[in-house]
Amino acid sequence: MNVASALRLKRAGLWLALASALILGAVLVLQYGYGYAPCKLCLTERLPYYAAIPLGLAALFAPERLARLALGLAALGLLYGAGIGVYHAGAEWGFWPGPSDCGGGTGANPGQVGDFLNQLQSTKVVDCSVAAMRVLGLSLAGWNAVAAFALASLAGTAAARP
């Protein structure tokens, strides 16, 4: 077993888990602390980070072969997330249409028509083709694509490097 290689895998697993947790924490603060409601694509973009945390921790504590597998799986998932982020950002910029079913919902089916009308008044519909905010010219979806690609590069490079 190469000690330098094992340390590199463990370091990559730690950074992957920490960065994924920080990114998820930031979007949850935006959602619950500042009231930015996520659209369908926003929620889909979070999934690779939810998977990357345990995969990064697995790489931190697992033997070398399993650590490489965990980091490789995380890299593939994060590349998928980067692709969704590019698609979402492109829809926000109007380069292509967003999904036709992206919008919000009323949640559980209401029991009566009056309840349904009350729910419609308090439901905030979020459109996937409208950026909630832009930071330095990029929407949150664009920043997600950058972050997911960077983390995929970190995990993939660590997994593939001997």
Side-chain angles (χ1 to χ4, degrees):
M1 175 173 89
N2 184 352
V3 175
S5 176
L7 285 175
R8 184 176 50 253
L9 290 171
K10 293 183 183 313
R11 187 172 32 247
L14 178 64
W15 279 111
L16 178 66
L18 285 176
S20 296
L22 283 172
I23 289 168
L24 283 174
V27 297
L28 291 173
V29 165
L30 283 173
Q31 180 179 349
Y32 294 110
Y34 293 101
Y36 286 95
C39 70
K40 175 182 135 178
L41 286 177
C42 293
L43 294 173
T44 304
E45 289 170 23
R46 295 178 189 181
L47 296 177
Y49 298 106
Y50 287 124
I53 294 170
L55 288 171
L57 292 175
L60 182 60
F61 296 110
E64 186 174 348
R65 177 174 248 123
L66 290 176
R68 288 185 189 282
L69 177 64
L71 290 172
L73 288 174
L76 289 175
L78 287 161
L79 281 176
Y80 165 77
I84 295 293
V86 167
Y87 170 68
H88 190 184
E92 290 173 343
W93 282 104
F95 296 148
W96 44 74
S100 60
D101 63 342
C102 198
T106 59
N109 290 334
Q112 297 180 355
V113 173
D115 294 336
F116 177 70
L117 293 175
N118 289 336
Q119 277 186 343
L120 281 179
Q121 291 176 358
S122 65
T123 298
K124 182 178 180 182
V125 177
V126 181
D127 187 5
C128 289
S129 61
V130 177
M133 93 164 77
R134 294 191 190 276
V135 178
L136 300 175
L138 280 180
S139 67
L140 295 178
W143 283 112
N144 170 66
V146 170
F149 184 74
L151 288 178
S153 298
L154 169 81
T157 302
R161 198 167 161 202

